[in-house]
Amino acid sequence: MKKLKIAAVFLCVCFLFTAAYAANANPGGQDDPLVTLSYLNGTYTQQVKSMVDQTVNERKAEMEQSLRNVLAGNGGTTAPTAGNGVFTVVTLTQGQSLVGDVGCEVMLRVGAAACGSEDSVGLIDTTAGSVLGNGQALAANHLYMVTISTRRVTATAPTVKVLARGPYSIQ
């Protein structure tokens, strides 16, 4: 009987040490790399989403700044406009010219105007899919693009209104 009591006390002491060790253990820590589904669905997923959102926001800010730099880097030839990427109404008097840089788009709205260039290639008529040569008249409501710098639209009527988008100057 005495041996039975000693064995019972020994088992109780072993149980207490095991319980104390389990209570102090760090499950999922560096010593015990146990990962539970609730950890993956909760904490880990939120951490990953947070890191992705932060990276996306940083890249977005970089791209926006890059776009601002591209739009602002037009060599200072853009006349005052309502905003980059927006068509601006430009009024010309007879003999005045709108000189476009590469990428400038022009649409004749009021009056008459002619294409001006140093050679036979003038403006690209994106509406008709053709090339407008030196001295040829612009068609109303056709969108023209400057693909070679210094191409111009010269007013041939007393008052001419064009819509312009992109880098240009008035001469």
Side-chain angles (χ1 to χ4, degrees):
M1 187 73 151
K2 191 174 185 180
K3 287 184 181 183
L4 188 58
K5 287 182 182 180
I6 292 174
V9 169
F10 180 74
L11 284 175
C12 285
V13 170
C14 287
F15 176 75
L16 289 174
F17 281 122
T18 304
Y21 179 77
N24 290 328
N26 186 9
Q30 188 174 3
D31 296 332
D32 182 16
L34 177 66
V35 177
T36 63
L37 181 60
S38 62
Y39 174 76
L40 290 175
N41 289 338
T43 306
Y44 184 73
T45 303
Q46 292 304 320
Q47 288 175 351
V48 170
K49 285 181 181 179
S50 176
M51 290 184 330
V52 168
D53 288 343
Q54 180 182 359
T55 303
V56 167
N57 289 335
E58 288 171 1
R59 297 293 186 263
K60 180 182 173 188
E62 289 173 9
M63 289 174 54
E64 287 173 347
Q65 184 60 43
S66 177
L67 181 59
R68 278 190 220 102
N69 292 344
V70 168
L71 293 175
N74 55 26
T77 58
T78 301
T81 61
N84 289 324
V86 177
F87 279 101
T88 302
V89 177
V90 178
T91 303
L92 302 171
T93 58
Q94 191 164 6
Q96 270 191 320
S97 294
L98 180 146
V99 180
D101 201 359
V102 174
C104 179
E105 296 172 294
V106 179
M107 180 184 291
L108 177 65
R109 296 292 291 146
V110 175
C115 172
S117 68
E118 291 75 33
D119 54 32
S120 62
V121 178
L123 301 170
I124 304 298
D125 184 344
T126 59
T127 305
S130 61
V131 176
L132 191 65
N134 184 31
Q136 291 183 312
L138 276 71
N141 301 319
H142 277 225
L143 183 62
Y144 295 93
M145 179 177 277
V146 177
T147 58
I148 301 172
S149 63
T150 71
R151 299 308 190 235
R152 60 192 172 279
V153 174
T154 304
T156 57
T159 301
V160 174
K161 292 188 185 278
V162 296
L163 296 176
R165 175 170 57 186
Y168 67 88
S169 62
I170 305 296
Q171 296 180 352

